[in-house]
């Protein structure tokens, strides 16, 4: 069980995640709790292939394009949950700032992002 203060520290990002999860759930998406994290999969009839990601983490909320994608990327996304527990709402700024800095330096904003590198390092794979 996660310490309650970790939920509170990440609450600003989780609130954003809940705001995005609600329409998916109301449209017929699937929601479940896994290891203290709310996972919401888009409804099966939604075609979300145009999104630049297959799953995204916002605090203690993970949104995915399907239940299968959530299962496949669960460990990776849960590393991001722990990052939100460390950084709190600041993660909403730190992640894109790191990507911007990398892009300005001619690097790969997603693959070279230290938050993504940590998630890949712990559980392998990449997107």
């Amino acid at each position: 069980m996660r310490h309650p203060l970790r939920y509170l520290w990440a609450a600003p990002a989780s609130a954003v995640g809940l705001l995005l999860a609600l329409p998916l759930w109301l449209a017929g998406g699937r929601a479940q709790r896994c290891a203290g994290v709310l996972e919401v999969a888009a409804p099966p009839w939604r075609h979300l292939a145009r999104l630049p990601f297959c799953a995204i983490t916002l605090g203690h909320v993970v949104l995915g394009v399907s239940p299968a994608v959530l299962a496949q990327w669960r460990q990776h996304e849960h590393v991001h949950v722990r990052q939100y527990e460390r950084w709190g709402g600041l993660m909403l700024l730190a992640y894109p700032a790191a990507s911007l800095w990398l892009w300005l330096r001619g690097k790969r904003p997603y693959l070279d992002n230290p938050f993504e590198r940590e998630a890949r390092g712990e559980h392998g794979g990449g997107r």
Side-chain angles (χ1 to χ4, degrees), residues 2 7 32-39 57 59-62 78 81:
R2 290 184 155 87
Y7 285 98
Q32 70 178 15
R33 198 177 79 176
C34 181
V37 176
L38 176 64
E39 297 180 346
T57 301
H60 289 92
V61 179
V62 179
H78 283 225
V81 170

Side-chain angles (χ1 to χ4, degrees), residues 43-89:
W45 51 267
R46 282 277 191 224
H47 185 63
L48 301 175
R50 288 178 282 176
L51 292 174
F53 53 84
C54 59
I56 188 168
T57 301
L58 296 157
H60 289 92
V61 179
V62 179
L63 308 174
V65 297
S66 72
V69 163
L70 287 173
Q72 178 182 354
W73 291 99
R74 181 166 291 127
Q75 291 179 330
H76 177 98
E77 298 303 328
H78 283 225
V79 172
H80 292 311
V81 170
R82 290 192 301 277
Q83 291 168 344
Y84 275 100
E85 290 177 345
R86 283 194 308 268
W87 286 79

Side-chain angles (χ1 to χ4, degrees), residues 89-118:
L90 297 173
M91 179 77 169
L92 292 170
L93 299 173
Y95 185 104
S99 289
L100 177 61
W101 177 248
L102 289 163
W103 179 74
L104 290 171
R105 294 179 54 219
K107 305 230 180 199
R108 301 170 299 179
Y110 175 76
L111 290 175
D112 293 332
N113 188 303
F115 297 108
E116 289 301 328
R117 291 178 66 191
E118 178 185 358

